[in-house]
Amino acid sequence: MLSIFKSKLLLESEESQSLVELFLWAAEHFDSEYFFKNTQIVQPTEQYFPDRVTSVEEMAQSVFQRVRSYAGLTQWPIALTSPQMMSMQQTFPHFSLSDGLRGEDVVLTNKPSLPVHVSYNPNQINQPQDLVASMAGSMALMLIHHVGKLPPGGQQNLPVAADVLAIFMGFGTMICNTAYHFRGGCGSCYNPYANRQAALNEQESIFLHALVCHFKGDEQGGKHLKPHLKGMYKKAQKQLKKILQTSADPMLLALEDRSRA
């Protein structure tokens, strides 16, 4: 019997499958062991960002240090640079790591002459979730460049892959909350330069965030999403449940078993 009021899926089957493939790419190449043991679902709260700051520079440095730590990149040669000092182009330095890819136990065995420079958008200081999401995306791109494994879709899919990897590293709430920006209101209220350049839309971000929260066993993953995203999150959870129940993908099933261990 057909239901007149059958609820619509958050994403079409082909869209959800593409995102699952990107998630599996992230899990395969960017330290799934660290993901299961150490990744936190970072939230835009004082618990995760407790620092008190008195200037733009201090805020940027605080967010940089927190994001770097949650991403597991404290041992990487990364430095925060002011926007005025940031070069328009930089050559990604060669360096080597041992004892893993991410985490406190990683050892930098071949230190580059110069670190990888990260900067920030001063316009985002009043929009801290954009700032966090942007820095997480920058660090995700660093990981991709260092590991050298292109995502499904190749080079042209790098912006999408950076968003996916940022969500995989635990920054899904901020990625979701900054995936769309309202452009209405008075002219003085909207600053387009403060908005993050999102590669994933809200539905795609929500789906991936729900997938990460599922594998992390985090039941509060939707708590700090913007109000209009909470319904999408519940839809994503329902859709993911069906996908995981019917999937024959060996890697996806292996991750499911690992999450229950």
Side-chain angles (χ1 to χ4, degrees):
M1 181 180 293
L2 295 174
S3 172
I4 298 174
F5 300 107
K6 186 177 180 180
S7 61
K8 186 179 179 181
L9 295 173
L10 180 67
L11 295 170
E12 296 296 331
S13 177
E14 186 175 329
E15 293 175 306
S16 63
Q17 182 58 38
S18 294
L19 292 174
V20 168
E21 289 174 3
L22 282 163
F23 173 83
L24 293 177
W25 162 81
E28 180 180 2
H29 298 296
F30 301 98
D31 206 336
S32 61
E33 192 66 20
Y34 181 89
F35 171 80
F36 281 114
K37 288 184 177 180
N38 302 103
T39 292
Q40 301 180 61
I41 305 301
V42 181
Q43 301 291 4
T45 65
E46 191 172 3
Q47 175 186 347
Y48 292 93
F49 298 93
D51 307 301
R52 295 288 184 266
V53 298
T54 59
S55 68
V56 169
E57 292 76 17
E58 283 184 10
M59 182 172 180
Q61 187 64 234
S62 170
V63 169
F64 168 75
Q65 295 292 355
R66 294 286 173 182
V67 170
R68 183 184 185 187
S69 176
Y70 294 135
L73 302 178
T74 54
Q75 305 306 311
W76 281 48
I78 310 172
L80 183 68
T81 303
S82 69
Q84 296 81 6
M85 300 298 293
M86 187 69 178
S87 173
M88 292 297 292
Q89 291 184 331
Q90 64 171 317
T91 302
F92 194 83
H94 175 75
F95 58 92
S96 301
L97 302 167
S98 63
D99 299 327
L101 181 66
R102 298 193 284 146
E104 296 296 328
D105 296 331
V106 170
V107 177
L108 181 62
T109 55
N110 183 16
K111 189 176 180 179
S113 57
L114 292 172
V116 184
H117 292 286
V118 181
S119 194
Y120 57 93
N121 181 352
N123 292 293
Q124 292 180 343
I125 293 302
N126 292 322
Q127 295 180 197
Q129 291 200 56
D130 285 86
L131 182 60
V132 171
S134 295
M135 283 199 180
S138 294
M139 294 188 194
L141 277 174
M142 286 181 202
L143 271 162
I144 295 170
H145 279 293
H146 177 73
V147 172
K149 298 293 183 181
L150 288 175
Q155 186 83 18
Q156 65 183 15
N157 221 20
L158 277 179
V160 169
D163 274 9
V164 171
L165 188 51
I167 295 172
F168 179 75
M169 293 192 296
F171 301 97
T173 296
M174 280 70 74
I175 296 292
C176 293
N177 284 343
T178 60
Y180 172 81
H181 297 279
F182 175 63
R183 288 168 170 75
C186 64
S188 62
C189 297
Y190 172 64
N191 181 358
Y193 300 104
N195 294 338
R196 181 179 71 88
Q197 297 299 309
L200 293 171
N201 63 32
E202 287 180 324
Q203 290 86 348
E204 293 166 337
S205 301
I206 286 288
F207 181 86
L208 284 161
H209 179 52
L211 186 56
V212 168
C213 291
H214 168 79
F215 283 120
K216 288 299 298 179
D218 192 311
E219 297 180 357
Q220 300 297 314
K223 183 176 181 180
H224 295 284
L225 291 171
K226 289 180 177 178
H228 75 280
L229 299 177
K230 293 180 185 289
M232 290 186 198
Y233 186 77
K234 290 179 180 178
K235 275 191 170 185
Q237 288 178 309
K238 290 180 181 179
Q239 188 167 356
L240 282 168
K241 185 177 180 181
K242 291 181 180 179
I243 290 172
L244 292 167
Q245 285 175 343
T246 58
S247 176
D249 188 297
M251 187 173 178
L252 192 64
L253 296 176
L255 291 173
E256 180 75 340
D257 289 341
R258 176 68 176 80
S259 70
R260 294 174 177 174

